[in-house]
CSV table of all heavy atoms in Angstrom, one decimal:
chain,number,residue,atom,x,y,z
A,1,ALA,N,-63.7,34.0,-51.8
A,1,ALA,CA,-63.5,32.8,-50.9
A,1,ALA,C,-63.4,31.5,-51.7
A,1,ALA,O,-64.1,31.4,-52.8
A,1,ALA,CB,-64.5,32.7,-49.8
A,2,LYS,N,-62.7,30.6,-51.2
A,2,LYS,CA,-62.6,29.2,-51.7
A,2,LYS,C,-63.0,28.2,-50.6
A,2,LYS,O,-62.7,28.4,-49.4
A,2,LYS,CB,-61.2,28.9,-52.2
A,2,LYS,CG,-61.0,29.3,-53.6
A,2,LYS,CD,-59.7,28.7,-54.2
A,2,LYS,CE,-59.9,28.6,-55.7
A,2,LYS,NZ,-58.8,27.8,-56.3
A,3,HIS,N,-63.7,27.1,-51.0
A,3,HIS,CA,-64.0,26.0,-50.1
A,3,HIS,C,-63.8,24.7,-50.9
A,3,HIS,O,-64.4,24.6,-51.9
A,3,HIS,CB,-65.4,26.2,-49.6
A,3,HIS,CG,-65.8,25.0,-48.7
A,3,HIS,ND1,-65.2,24.8,-47.5
A,3,HIS,CD2,-66.8,24.1,-48.8
A,3,HIS,CE1,-65.8,23.7,-46.9
A,3,HIS,NE2,-66.7,23.3,-47.7
A,4,ASN,N,-62.9,23.9,-50.3
A,4,ASN,CA,-62.6,22.6,-51.0
A,4,ASN,C,-62.2,22.8,-52.5
A,4,ASN,O,-62.6,22.1,-53.4
A,4,ASN,CB,-63.8,21.6,-50.9
A,4,ASN,CG,-64.1,21.2,-49.5
A,4,ASN,OD1,-63.2,21.1,-48.7
A,4,ASN,ND2,-65.3,20.8,-49.3
A,5,GLY,N,-61.4,23.9,-52.7
A,5,GLY,CA,-60.8,24.1,-54.0
A,5,GLY,C,-61.8,24.8,-55.0
A,5,GLY,O,-61.4,25.0,-56.1
A,6,LYS,N,-63.0,25.2,-54.5
A,6,LYS,CA,-64.0,25.8,-55.4
A,6,LYS,C,-64.2,27.2,-55.0
A,6,LYS,O,-64.2,27.5,-53.8
A,6,LYS,CB,-65.3,25.1,-55.4
A,6,LYS,CG,-65.2,23.6,-55.7
A,6,LYS,CD,-65.5,23.3,-57.1
A,6,LYS,CE,-65.6,21.8,-57.3
A,6,LYS,NZ,-65.6,21.5,-58.7
A,7,TRP,N,-64.5,28.1,-55.9
A,7,TRP,CA,-64.9,29.5,-55.6
A,7,TRP,C,-66.3,29.5,-55.0
A,7,TRP,O,-67.2,28.8,-55.4
A,7,TRP,CB,-64.8,30.4,-56.8
A,7,TRP,CG,-63.5,30.5,-57.4
A,7,TRP,CD1,-63.0,29.9,-58.6
A,7,TRP,CD2,-62.3,31.2,-56.9
A,7,TRP,NE1,-61.7,30.2,-58.8
A,7,TRP,CE2,-61.3,31.0,-57.8
A,7,TRP,CE3,-62.1,31.9,-55.7
A,7,TRP,CZ2,-60.0,31.5,-57.5
A,7,TRP,CZ3,-60.9,32.5,-55.5
A,7,TRP,CH2,-59.8,32.3,-56.4
A,8,VAL,N,-66.5,30.4,-54.0
A,8,VAL,CA,-67.8,30.5,-53.3
A,8,VAL,C,-68.5,31.8,-53.9
A,8,VAL,O,-68.0,32.9,-53.8
A,8,VAL,CB,-67.6,30.7,-51.8
A,8,VAL,CG1,-68.9,30.8,-51.1
A,8,VAL,CG2,-66.8,29.5,-51.2
A,9,PHE,N,-69.7,31.5,-54.4
A,9,PHE,CA,-70.6,32.6,-54.8
A,9,PHE,C,-71.9,32.5,-54.1
A,9,PHE,O,-72.3,31.4,-53.7
A,9,PHE,CB,-70.8,32.6,-56.3
A,9,PHE,CG,-69.7,33.1,-57.1
A,9,PHE,CD1,-68.6,32.3,-57.4
A,9,PHE,CD2,-69.7,34.4,-57.5
A,9,PHE,CE1,-67.5,32.8,-58.1
A,9,PHE,CE2,-68.6,34.9,-58.2
A,9,PHE,CZ,-67.5,34.1,-58.5
A,10,VAL,N,-72.6,33.6,-53.9
A,10,VAL,CA,-73.9,33.6,-53.2
A,10,VAL,C,-75.0,34.2,-54.1
A,10,VAL,O,-74.7,35.0,-54.9
A,10,VAL,CB,-73.8,34.3,-51.8
A,10,VAL,CG1,-72.8,33.6,-50.9
A,10,VAL,CG2,-73.4,35.8,-52.0
A,11,ARG,N,-76.2,33.8,-53.8
A,11,ARG,CA,-77.4,34.4,-54.5
A,11,ARG,C,-78.3,35.0,-53.5
A,11,ARG,O,-78.8,34.4,-52.5
A,11,ARG,CB,-78.1,33.3,-55.3
A,11,ARG,CG,-79.3,33.9,-56.1
A,11,ARG,CD,-80.1,32.8,-56.8
A,11,ARG,NE,-80.7,31.9,-55.8
A,11,ARG,CZ,-81.7,32.2,-55.0
A,11,ARG,NH1,-82.3,33.4,-55.1
A,11,ARG,NH2,-82.2,31.3,-54.2
A,12,HIS,N,-78.6,36.3,-53.6
A,12,HIS,CA,-79.5,37.0,-52.8
A,12,HIS,C,-80.9,36.5,-53.1
A,12,HIS,O,-81.3,36.1,-54.2
A,12,HIS,CB,-79.5,38.5,-53.2
A,12,HIS,CG,-80.2,39.4,-52.2
A,12,HIS,ND1,-81.6,39.5,-52.2
A,12,HIS,CD2,-79.7,40.3,-51.3
A,12,HIS,CE1,-81.9,40.4,-51.3
A,12,HIS,NE2,-80.8,40.9,-50.7
A,13,LYS,N,-81.8,36.4,-52.0
A,13,LYS,CA,-83.1,35.8,-52.2
A,13,LYS,C,-84.0,36.6,-53.2
A,13,LYS,O,-84.9,36.0,-53.8
A,13,LYS,CB,-83.8,35.9,-50.8
A,13,LYS,CG,-83.3,34.8,-49.8
A,13,LYS,CD,-84.0,35.0,-48.5
A,13,LYS,CE,-83.5,33.9,-47.5
A,13,LYS,NZ,-84.0,34.1,-46.2
A,14,GLU,N,-83.7,37.9,-53.4
A,14,GLU,CA,-84.5,38.6,-54.3
A,14,GLU,C,-84.0,38.7,-55.7
A,14,GLU,O,-84.5,39.5,-56.5
A,14,GLU,CB,-84.8,40.0,-53.7
A,14,GLU,CG,-85.5,40.0,-52.4
A,14,GLU,CD,-85.7,41.4,-51.8
A,14,GLU,OE1,-85.1,42.4,-52.3
A,14,GLU,OE2,-86.3,41.5,-50.7
A,15,ARG,N,-82.9,38.0,-56.0
A,15,ARG,CA,-82.3,38.0,-57.3
A,15,ARG,C,-82.0,36.6,-57.8
A,15,ARG,O,-82.0,35.7,-57.1
A,15,ARG,CB,-80.9,38.8,-57.2
A,15,ARG,CG,-81.1,40.2,-56.9
A,15,ARG,CD,-79.8,41.0,-57.0
A,15,ARG,NE,-78.9,41.0,-55.9
A,15,ARG,CZ,-79.0,41.9,-54.9
A,15,ARG,NH1,-79.9,42.8,-54.8
A,15,ARG,NH2,-78.1,41.8,-53.9
A,16,GLU,N,-81.8,36.6,-59.1
A,16,GLU,CA,-81.5,35.3,-59.8
A,16,GLU,C,-80.0,35.2,-60.2
A,16,GLU,O,-79.6,34.2,-60.8
A,16,GLU,CB,-82.4,35.1,-61.1
A,16,GLU,CG,-83.9,35.1,-60.8
A,16,GLU,CD,-84.3,33.9,-59.9
A,16,GLU,OE1,-83.7,32.8,-60.1
A,16,GLU,OE2,-85.1,34.1,-59.0
A,17,THR,N,-79.3,36.2,-59.8
A,17,THR,CA,-77.9,36.3,-60.2
A,17,THR,C,-76.9,36.0,-59.0
A,17,THR,O,-77.4,35.9,-57.9
A,17,THR,CB,-77.6,37.7,-60.7
A,17,THR,OG1,-78.0,38.7,-59.7
A,17,THR,CG2,-78.3,38.0,-62.0
A,18,TRP,N,-75.7,35.8,-59.3
A,18,TRP,CA,-74.7,35.4,-58.3
A,18,TRP,C,-73.7,36.5,-58.0
A,18,TRP,O,-73.4,37.3,-58.9
A,18,TRP,CB,-73.9,34.2,-58.9
A,18,TRP,CG,-74.8,33.0,-59.0
A,18,TRP,CD1,-75.5,32.6,-60.1
A,18,TRP,CD2,-75.2,32.1,-58.0
A,18,TRP,NE1,-76.3,31.5,-59.9
A,18,TRP,CE2,-76.2,31.2,-58.5
A,18,TRP,CE3,-74.9,32.0,-56.6
A,18,TRP,CZ2,-76.8,30.2,-57.8
A,18,TRP,CZ3,-75.5,30.9,-55.9
A,18,TRP,CH2,-76.4,30.1,-56.5
A,19,GLU,N,-73.2,36.5,-56.8
A,19,GLU,CA,-72.2,37.5,-56.4
A,19,GLU,C,-71.2,37.0,-55.4
A,19,GLU,O,-71.4,35.9,-54.8
A,19,GLU,CB,-73.0,38.7,-55.8
A,19,GLU,CG,-73.9,38.4,-54.7
A,19,GLU,CD,-75.0,39.5,-54.6
A,19,GLU,OE1,-75.9,39.6,-55.4
A,19,GLU,OE2,-74.9,40.3,-53.6
A,20,ILE,N,-70.1,37.7,-55.3
A,20,ILE,CA,-69.1,37.4,-54.3
A,20,ILE,C,-69.6,37.9,-53.0
A,20,ILE,O,-70.2,39.0,-52.9
A,20,ILE,CB,-67.8,38.2,-54.7
A,20,ILE,CG1,-67.3,37.7,-56.1
A,20,ILE,CG2,-66.7,38.0,-53.7
A,20,ILE,CD1,-66.2,38.6,-56.7
A,21,PRO,N,-69.4,37.1,-51.9
A,21,PRO,CA,-69.8,37.5,-50.6
A,21,PRO,C,-69.2,38.9,-50.2
A,21,PRO,O,-68.1,39.2,-50.5
A,21,PRO,CB,-69.3,36.4,-49.7
A,21,PRO,CG,-69.0,35.2,-50.5
A,21,PRO,CD,-68.7,35.8,-51.9
A,22,GLY,N,-70.0,39.6,-49.5
A,22,GLY,CA,-69.5,40.9,-49.0
A,22,GLY,C,-70.7,41.9,-48.7
A,22,GLY,O,-71.8,41.5,-48.9
A,23,GLY,N,-70.3,43.0,-48.2
A,23,GLY,CA,-71.4,44.0,-47.9
A,23,GLY,C,-70.9,45.3,-47.2
A,23,GLY,O,-69.7,45.5,-47.2
A,24,HIS,N,-71.8,46.0,-46.7
A,24,HIS,CA,-71.5,47.3,-46.1
A,24,HIS,C,-70.9,47.1,-44.7
A,24,HIS,O,-71.3,46.2,-44.0
A,24,HIS,CB,-72.8,48.1,-46.0
A,24,HIS,CG,-73.3,48.6,-47.2
A,24,HIS,ND1,-74.1,47.9,-48.1
A,24,HIS,CD2,-73.1,49.8,-47.9
A,24,HIS,CE1,-74.4,48.6,-49.1
A,24,HIS,NE2,-73.8,49.8,-49.0
A,25,ARG,N,-70.0,48.0,-44.4
A,25,ARG,CA,-69.4,48.1,-43.1
A,25,ARG,C,-70.4,48.8,-42.2
A,25,ARG,O,-71.0,49.8,-42.6
A,25,ARG,CB,-68.1,48.9,-43.2
A,25,ARG,CG,-67.4,49.1,-42.0
A,25,ARG,CD,-66.2,50.0,-42.3
A,25,ARG,NE,-65.3,50.2,-41.2
A,25,ARG,CZ,-64.1,50.8,-41.3
A,25,ARG,NH1,-63.7,51.3,-42.5
A,25,ARG,NH2,-63.3,50.9,-40.3
A,26,GLU,N,-70.6,48.3,-41.0
A,26,GLU,CA,-71.5,48.9,-40.0
A,26,GLU,C,-70.8,50.0,-39.2
A,26,GLU,O,-69.5,50.1,-39.2
A,26,GLU,CB,-72.1,47.9,-39.1
A,26,GLU,CG,-73.0,46.9,-39.8
A,26,GLU,CD,-73.6,45.8,-38.9
A,26,GLU,OE1,-73.3,45.8,-37.7
A,26,GLU,OE2,-74.4,45.0,-39.5
A,27,ILE,N,-71.5,50.9,-38.7
A,27,ILE,CA,-71.0,52.0,-37.9
A,27,ILE,C,-70.1,51.5,-36.7
A,27,ILE,O,-70.5,50.5,-36.1
A,27,ILE,CB,-72.1,52.9,-37.3
A,27,ILE,CG1,-72.8,53.6,-38.5
A,27,ILE,CG2,-71.5,54.0,-36.4
A,27,ILE,CD1,-74.1,54.3,-38.1
A,28,ASN,N,-68.9,52.1,-36.6
A,28,ASN,CA,-68.0,51.7,-35.5
A,28,ASN,C,-67.4,50.2,-35.7
A,28,ASN,O,-66.9,49.7,-34.7
A,28,ASN,CB,-68.5,51.9,-34.1
A,28,ASN,CG,-68.8,53.3,-33.8
A,28,ASN,OD1,-68.1,54.2,-34.3
A,28,ASN,ND2,-69.9,53.6,-33.2
A,29,GLU,N,-67.6,49.6,-36.8
A,29,GLU,CA,-67.1,48.3,-37.1
A,29,GLU,C,-65.8,48.4,-37.9
A,29,GLU,O,-65.7,49.2,-38.8
A,29,GLU,CB,-68.1,47.5,-37.9
A,29,GLU,CG,-67.7,46.1,-38.2
A,29,GLU,CD,-68.8,45.3,-38.9
A,29,GLU,OE1,-69.4,45.9,-39.9
A,29,GLU,OE2,-69.2,44.2,-38.6
A,30,ASN,N,-64.7,47.7,-37.5
A,30,ASN,CA,-63.5,47.7,-38.3
A,30,ASN,C,-63.7,46.9,-39.5
A,30,ASN,O,-64.6,46.0,-39.5
A,30,ASN,CB,-62.2,47.4,-37.5
A,30,ASN,CG,-62.0,46.0,-37.2
A,30,ASN,OD1,-62.2,45.1,-38.0
A,30,ASN,ND2,-61.6,45.7,-35.9
A,31,ILE,N,-62.9,47.1,-40.5
A,31,ILE,CA,-63.1,46.5,-41.8
A,31,ILE,C,-62.9,45.0,-41.8
A,31,ILE,O,-63.6,44.2,-42.5
A,31,ILE,CB,-62.3,47.2,-42.9
A,31,ILE,CG1,-62.9,46.9,-44.3
A,31,ILE,CG2,-60.9,46.9,-42.8
A,31,ILE,CD1,-64.3,47.5,-44.6
A,32,GLU,N,-62.0,44.5,-41.0
A,32,GLU,CA,-61.7,43.1,-40.8
A,32,GLU,C,-62.9,42.4,-40.2
A,32,GLU,O,-63.3,41.3,-40.6
A,32,GLU,CB,-60.4,42.8,-40.0
A,32,GLU,CG,-59.2,43.2,-40.8
A,32,GLU,CD,-58.8,44.7,-40.7
A,32,GLU,OE1,-59.4,45.4,-39.9
A,32,GLU,OE2,-57.9,45.1,-41.4
A,33,ASP,N,-63.5,43.0,-39.2
A,33,ASP,CA,-64.7,42.5,-38.5
A,33,ASP,C,-65.9,42.4,-39.5
A,33,ASP,O,-66.7,41.5,-39.5
A,33,ASP,CB,-65.0,43.2,-37.2
A,33,ASP,CG,-64.0,43.0,-36.1
A,33,ASP,OD1,-63.2,42.0,-36.2
A,33,ASP,OD2,-64.1,43.8,-35.1
A,34,ALA,N,-66.0,43.5,-40.3
A,34,ALA,CA,-67.1,43.5,-41.3
A,34,ALA,C,-66.9,42.4,-42.3
A,34,ALA,O,-67.9,41.7,-42.6
A,34,ALA,CB,-67.0,44.9,-42.0
A,35,ALA,N,-65.7,42.1,-42.7
A,35,ALA,CA,-65.4,41.0,-43.6
A,35,ALA,C,-65.8,39.7,-43.0
A,35,ALA,O,-66.5,38.8,-43.6
A,35,ALA,CB,-64.0,41.0,-44.1
A,36,SER,N,-65.4,39.4,-41.8
A,36,SER,CA,-65.7,38.2,-41.1
A,36,SER,C,-67.2,38.0,-40.9
A,36,SER,O,-67.8,36.9,-41.2
A,36,SER,CB,-65.0,38.1,-39.8
A,36,SER,OG,-63.6,38.0,-39.9
A,37,ARG,N,-67.9,39.1,-40.5
A,37,ARG,CA,-69.3,39.0,-40.3
A,37,ARG,C,-70.0,38.7,-41.6
A,37,ARG,O,-70.9,37.9,-41.6
A,37,ARG,CB,-69.8,40.4,-39.7
A,37,ARG,CG,-71.3,40.5,-39.5
A,37,ARG,CD,-71.8,41.8,-39.0
A,37,ARG,NE,-71.3,42.9,-39.8
A,37,ARG,CZ,-71.7,43.3,-41.0
A,37,ARG,NH1,-72.7,42.6,-41.6
A,37,ARG,NH2,-71.2,44.4,-41.6
A,38,GLU,N,-69.7,39.4,-42.6
A,38,GLU,CA,-70.3,39.2,-43.9
A,38,GLU,C,-70.1,37.8,-44.4
A,38,GLU,O,-71.1,37.2,-45.0
A,38,GLU,CB,-69.9,40.3,-45.0
A,38,GLU,CG,-70.4,41.7,-44.7
A,38,GLU,CD,-71.8,41.9,-45.0
A,38,GLU,OE1,-72.5,41.0,-45.6
A,38,GLU,OE2,-72.4,42.9,-44.7
A,39,LEU,N,-68.9,37.3,-44.3
A,39,LEU,CA,-68.6,35.9,-44.8
A,39,LEU,C,-69.5,34.9,-44.0
A,39,LEU,O,-70.1,34.0,-44.6
A,39,LEU,CB,-67.2,35.6,-44.6
A,39,LEU,CG,-66.7,34.3,-45.3
A,39,LEU,CD1,-66.9,34.4,-46.8
A,39,LEU,CD2,-65.3,34.0,-45.0
A,40,LYS,N,-69.6,35.1,-42.7
A,40,LYS,CA,-70.4,34.2,-41.9
A,40,LYS,C,-71.9,34.3,-42.3
A,40,LYS,O,-72.6,33.3,-42.4
A,40,LYS,CB,-70.3,34.5,-40.4
A,40,LYS,CG,-68.9,34.1,-39.8
A,40,LYS,CD,-68.8,34.6,-38.4
A,40,LYS,CE,-67.4,34.5,-37.8
A,40,LYS,NZ,-67.3,35.1,-36.5
A,41,GLU,N,-72.4,35.5,-42.4
A,41,GLU,CA,-73.8,35.8,-42.7
A,41,GLU,C,-74.2,35.3,-44.0
A,41,GLU,O,-75.3,34.8,-44.2
A,41,GLU,CB,-74.1,37.3,-42.6
A,41,GLU,CG,-74.1,37.8,-41.2
A,41,GLU,CD,-74.4,39.3,-41.2
A,41,GLU,OE1,-74.6,40.0,-42.2
A,41,GLU,OE2,-74.4,39.9,-40.1
A,42,GLU,N,-73.3,35.4,-45.0
A,42,GLU,CA,-73.7,35.1,-46.4
A,42,GLU,C,-73.4,33.7,-46.8
A,42,GLU,O,-73.9,33.3,-47.9
A,42,GLU,CB,-73.1,36.1,-47.3
A,42,GLU,CG,-73.6,37.5,-47.1
A,42,GLU,CD,-73.4,38.5,-48.2
A,42,GLU,OE1,-72.6,38.2,-49.1
A,42,GLU,OE2,-73.9,39.6,-48.1
A,43,THR,N,-72.5,33.0,-46.1
A,43,THR,CA,-72.1,31.7,-46.6
A,43,THR,C,-72.3,30.6,-45.5
A,43,THR,O,-72.2,29.4,-45.8
A,43,THR,CB,-70.6,31.6,-47.0
A,43,THR,OG1,-69.8,31.8,-45.8
A,43,THR,CG2,-70.3,32.7,-48.0
């Protein structure tokens, strides 16, 4: 993801490193909904 021309990275509370937003798909969730949910939850 980009916001205001910058790349968006996130840091998990239990780590000191950075990652691209994302995660596991939940049961009966379509992949587009999983992507939207993860982006909202993580950023």
Side-chain angles (χ1 to χ4, degrees):
K2 275 195 151 184
H3 177 63
N4 292 335
K6 305 263 188 196
W7 297 108
V8 178
F9 283 84
V10 299
R11 185 187 59 76
H12 192 284
K13 287 178 181 174
E14 297 176 359
R15 296 190 271 273
E16 298 298 319
T17 53
W18 296 94
E19 51 202 76
I20 297 168
H24 290 84
R25 177 184 189 175
E26 294 180 356
I27 296 171
N28 297 323
E29 183 178 45
N30 76 44
I31 198 69
E32 290 81 11
D33 289 345
S36 292
R37 176 184 52 75
E38 289 288 351
L39 190 64
K40 290 175 192 174
E41 288 176 1
E42 295 195 354
T43 69

